[in-house]
Amino acid sequence: MPCGIMRPQHIYCRKCEVNDMADILGTNQSVGEVQIANDVIAGIAGIAAVEVEGIKGVTGSSITGITGRFGKKGSSKGVKMEVVGDQVVIDLSVTIRFGYSIPKVSGRVQDKISTTIKSMTGLDVKTVNVKVAEIAPAED
C-alpha cells in the first residue's frame, strides 16, 4: 500500500511498498522512497502518443518525429494529468495526419499511453482522453 505521502510536485510515493520497490530498484529491501513528478508522467504520455502511426504531434509541443523520442524539453506540453485516487487521468490534444482513421488512431494512442505509463511507472491509468485538435497534411 502507498504510504500516503502526496506532495503537489509529486504524484506517487512507493516508500512502503517493499515488493514493488524490488521491481524498481532491483532489491527486496526498501532503501528510501521513489517519487515521480507530474511532468514526468505527462512527458511519458506525450512521447508515447507521437510514437503512434498517424500522429504528427501533441498540440502545443515540439514533439514530432525524432525530437519526441529523445525526451526533449516540452514533451509534456499539450498533456494534462491528474491523480484520481490511486489512478492517473490523462488529457491530451493531438495532431493527426490526413488520411488516417481518427477513431482508430485515437484508440491506439489511448492504448499506447496506458501501457507505457503502467510499464514505466507501475501506475494504473484510469482514463486517457484524446482531443484531435488539428489535421496535418500526409507525408510524401
Side-chain angles (χ1 to χ4, degrees), residues 10 17-18 32 34 38 41 43 54 67 72 76 78 90 99-100 106 118-119 122 128 132-133:
H10 298 94
E17 294 185 15
V18 175
V34 175
N38 291 351
I41 304 298
T67 304
K72 296 277 184 173
S76 63
I90 302 287
Y100 282 87
S106 297
K118 178 69 174 174
S119 70
V128 177
V132 178

Side-chain angles (χ1 to χ4, degrees), residues 1-17 33-38 41 81-89 123-124:
M1 296 297 298
C3 68
I5 297 174
M6 299 296 277
R7 299 181 182 113
Q9 71 272 27
H10 298 94
I11 64 160
Y12 190 68
C13 171
R14 290 189 173 209
K15 185 176 183 179
C16 298
E17 294 185 15
E33 65 184 30
V34 175
Q35 296 179 344
I36 304 169
N38 291 351
I41 304 298
M81 57 92 35
E82 67 174 308
V83 178
V84 176
D86 60 350
Q87 297 180 321
V88 178
V89 174
L123 295 171
D124 290 321

